[in-house]
């Protein structure tokens, strides 16, 4: 069973709908014990980094870290991926999980913000999540802050600078784009997560 | 590289997609869920569903259409028409929309933009502006283009962005329904005035019009309704032509 973590930020319908479409066994939950009991964790999110403060308030932070360190497959999407880093300039008082090093930063002023639309992926070899995804495939983004390039990066995006489009380390996966909004490419990525 | 988006707009009346010129001589163009998935399969980068009647009695019909469309659509999905308050927006998001478009209600109460953005994020709020050329600039019209506001479109776009809008959907009323090309002057003026993406609308008739609005108009996305129905123009073919003209698009898609 995949637990989609509900911490009151934004709308989780589209992620649930995509996993339902793939026939996955899914529960949307805000309960720490349900998160701990799940086989896989999906942390969605869109909007402001400060909304992640709700994870701490609901006791979900510990549950998420416990599940991640227990080796359960964990996918962070958009803000959910940014949470896997140390934090974000968008809201310095909320701490990320620190699983990946560095902080999320704003795009340079040379480009419009937010970064909205379909952008291509520069995929690196060896990713389990992006297995079978063609080089330069297009995925849909909507965000104003981005994660830094790190050694765990499995795909890069380009928008005024290079940023981490996908990261992966062991059982921990993160994507800055929205696979649930990225057509067949996105569904294939979610299917990989279901099967990992 | 970030690509330029081609957005298909579905005008809906009483639960059915309709097509006419300037909301007149409406013809039935099909079921919204079927039209949306067909357009997405054909290469549309985004779908907008616009409730053109938007009377209160129709809300249930709209929400049902949004729900059915969202269930099988895995591309960005915007819903507009008749959203007057936060609760209206919340109901549309609950039904499965990713973004809402607000027009008259935002002009009446600009703080509504911030209220919706505060709860659902700026990326979920598209402010639609209907503009017409007047002496000395472009004026904002509301209520489906029937009521002049006396407001300058460029200033309103800036204010909407400052209030928390994530994108501007800019329609040239002079060009809407004419298939004579986008108003590149209007689009460019607004696109250079705000730091958020601008979607150009009104006047799409040929692939060349799209090339011009991306090149001369500096649009981030372009929307069309009429040319995408009844197979009059194939979106995949349009995107191939844009690609050949050197415009970055999601191709092949």
């Amino acid at each position: 069973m995949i637990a989609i973590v509900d911490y009151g930020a934004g709308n989780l319908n589209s992620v649930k709908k995509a996993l339902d479409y793939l026939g996955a066994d899914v529960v949307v939950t805000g309960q720490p014990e349900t998160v701990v009991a799940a086989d896989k964790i999906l942390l969605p999110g869109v909007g402001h980094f400060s909304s992640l403060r709700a994870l701490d308030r609901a006791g979900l932070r510990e549950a998420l870290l416990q599940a991640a360190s227990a080796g359960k497959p964990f996918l962070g999407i958009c803000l959910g991926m940014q949470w896997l880093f140390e934090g974000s300039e968008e809201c310095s008082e909320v701490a990320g999980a620190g699983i990946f090093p560095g902080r999320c930063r704003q795009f340079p002023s040379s480009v419009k913000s937010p970064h909205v639309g379909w952008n291509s992926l520069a995929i690196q070899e060896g990713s389990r999540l992006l297995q079978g995804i063609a080089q330069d495939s297009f995925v849909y983004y909507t965000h104003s802050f981005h994660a830094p390039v790190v050694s765990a990066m499995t795909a890069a995006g380009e928008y005024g600078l290079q940023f981490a489009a996908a990261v992966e380390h062991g059982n921990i996966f993160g994507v800055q784009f929205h696979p649930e909004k990225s057509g067949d490419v996105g569904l294939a990525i979610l299917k990989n997560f279901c099967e990992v | 590289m970030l690509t330029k988006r081609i957005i298909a707009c579905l005008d809906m009346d009483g639960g059915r997609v309709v097509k006419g010129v300037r909301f007149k001589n409406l013809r039935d163009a099909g079921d919204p869920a079927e039209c949306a998935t067909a357009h997405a399969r054909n290469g549309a980068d985004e779908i907008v569903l616009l409730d053109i009647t938007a009377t209160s009695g129709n809300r249930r019909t709209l929400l049902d259409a949004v729900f059915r469309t969202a269930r099988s659509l895995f591309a960005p999905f915007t819903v507009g028409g008749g959203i007057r308050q936060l609760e209206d927006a919340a109901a549309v998001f609950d039904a499965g929309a990713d973004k809402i478009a607000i027009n008259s209600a935002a002009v009446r109460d600009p703080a509504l933009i911030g209220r919706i953005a505060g709860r659902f994020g700026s990326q979920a709020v598209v402010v639609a502006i209907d503009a017409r050329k007047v002496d000395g600039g472009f004026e904002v019209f509301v209520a489906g283009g029937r009521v002049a506001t006396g407001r300058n479109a460029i200033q309103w776009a800036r204010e909407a962005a400052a209030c928390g809008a994530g994108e501007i959907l800019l329609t040239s009323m002079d060009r809407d329904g004419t298939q004579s090309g986008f108003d590149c002057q209007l689009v460019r003026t607004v696109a250079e005035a705000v730091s958020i993406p601008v979607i150009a609308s009104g006047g799409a008739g040929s692939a060349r019009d799209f090339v011009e609005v991306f090149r001369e108009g500096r649009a981030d996305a372009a929307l069309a309704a009429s040319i995408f129905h009844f197979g009059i123009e194939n979106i995949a073919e349009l995107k191939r032509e844009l690609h050949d003209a050197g415009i970055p698009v999601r191709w092949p898609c």
Side-chain angles (χ1 to χ4, degrees):
Chain A
M1 188 186 64
I2 302 173
I4 299 176
V5 182
D6 180 5
Y7 53 100
N11 114 41
L12 310 175
N13 285 330
S14 53
V15 177
K16 179 174 189 308
K17 193 167 57 101
L19 291 174
D20 284 343
Y21 179 82
L22 293 169
D25 182 16
V26 177
V27 62
V28 176
T29 180
Q31 300 299 317
E33 51 275 18
T34 311
V35 169
V36 170
D39 305 311
K40 294 180 182 178
I41 316 296
L42 194 154
L43 182 65
V46 70
H48 202 273
F49 200 83
S50 62
S51 63
L52 290 163
R53 188 181 283 132
L55 291 175
D56 301 335
R57 276 202 299 263
L60 283 163
R61 182 189 179 84
E62 288 312 311
L64 291 171
L65 292 174
Q66 194 182 326
S69 60
K72 292 181 180 177
F74 186 118
L75 173 61
I77 295 177
C78 193
L79 206 55
M81 161 175 165
Q82 295 186 4
W83 183 77
L84 297 170
F85 285 77
E86 288 167 22
S88 172
E89 286 181 351
E90 192 174 21
C91 182
S92 53
E93 57 268 32
V94 174
I99 294 171
F100 298 109
R103 300 177 74 77
C104 300
R105 308 183 63 168
Q106 206 155 8
F107 283 108
S109 56
S110 57
V111 290
K112 285 197 171 189
S113 187
H115 172 223
V116 180
W118 298 77
N119 200 329
S120 53
L121 287 176
I123 301 172
Q124 299 178 357
E125 274 179 37
S127 166
R128 288 196 287 165
L129 189 69
L130 303 178
Q131 197 176 7
I133 304 300
Q135 190 61 269
D136 298 322
S137 288
F138 291 102
V139 288
Y140 183 80
Y141 292 88
T142 174
H143 61 128
S144 301
F145 286 72
H146 65 86
V149 170
V150 291
S151 61
M153 182 172 80
T154 51
E158 183 82 37
Y159 187 63
L161 46 68
Q162 197 179 54
F163 64 93
V167 289
E168 180 172 334
H169 181 72
N171 57 309
I172 312 290
F173 308 89
V175 290
Q176 178 61 64
F177 53 87
H178 288 272
E180 74 281 11
K181 291 285 134 197
S182 298
D184 291 342
V185 169
L187 289 173
I189 292 169
L190 288 174
K191 188 159 185 284
N192 283 345
F193 179 67
C194 291
E195 291 171 357
V196 83
Chain B
M1 186 184 216
L2 181 65
T3 55
K4 301 291 188 181
R5 285 171 284 158
I6 304 296
I7 301 176
C9 181
L10 308 174
D11 292 334
M12 196 183 81
D13 181 16
R16 299 287 291 177
V17 176
V18 291
K19 194 50 238 165
V21 174
R22 292 168 172 269
F23 300 160
K24 293 187 183 117
N25 305 317
L26 298 179
R27 282 191 290 166
D28 187 274
D31 174 69
E34 286 171 19
C35 285
T37 48
H39 282 314
R41 229 185 351 259
N42 203 9
D45 295 312
E46 203 160 325
I47 303 292
V48 172
L49 183 67
L50 193 61
D51 184 4
I52 63 169
T53 41
T55 58
S56 53
N58 263 342
R59 293 317 279 176
R60 182 44 54 194
T61 311
L62 171 69
L63 294 177
D64 177 60
V66 172
F67 177 80
R68 288 191 304 109
T69 304
R71 198 166 42 186
S72 54
L73 182 65
F74 300 104
F77 180 35
T78 302
V79 175
I83 293 169
R84 296 179 179 86
Q85 49 191 348
L86 180 63
E87 291 70 29
D88 298 333
V92 169
F93 286 124
D94 275 348
D98 302 306
K99 317 180 193 182
I100 54 94
I102 46 174
N103 189 334
S104 310
V107 173
R108 199 164 43 237
D109 175 19
L112 176 65
I113 300 168
R115 285 200 297 278
I116 301 174
R119 181 140 148 216
F120 296 96
S122 282
Q123 86 294 330
V125 184
V126 178
V127 170
I129 300 176
D130 292 341
R132 175 173 283 163
K133 197 164 191 171
V134 293
D135 280 347
F138 293 97
E139 184 178 356
V140 178
F141 282 70
V142 294
R146 291 187 298 273
V147 179
T149 65
R151 298 199 59 160
N152 177 277
I154 287 89
Q155 283 169 4
W156 169 229
R158 279 208 190 98
E159 186 184 339
C163 286
E167 292 177 79
I168 300 288
L169 167 54
L170 181 63
T171 300
S172 161
M173 293 177 53
D174 300 310
R175 302 294 177 90
D176 198 26
T178 64
Q179 302 199 0
S180 62
F182 295 95
D183 187 336
C184 291
Q185 188 202 350
L186 168 67
V187 175
R188 183 172 185 146
T189 309
V190 174
E192 289 178 345
V194 296
S195 66
I196 57 177
V198 172
I199 304 163
S201 161
S206 69
R208 175 165 295 276
D209 297 334
F210 286 88
V211 172
E212 278 176 7
V213 81
F214 289 134
R215 206 167 269 160
E216 314 303 328
R218 306 274 171 94
D220 299 285
L223 172 145
S226 52
I227 64 168
F228 295 143
H229 292 315
F230 306 118
I232 290 171
E233 180 135 1
N234 182 307
I235 300 181
E237 176 61 21
L238 168 65
K239 291 179 88 174
R240 195 188 57 75
E241 287 190 45
L242 292 175
H243 176 79
D244 290 348
I247 304 290
V249 287
R250 184 171 62 108
W251 174 264
C253 50

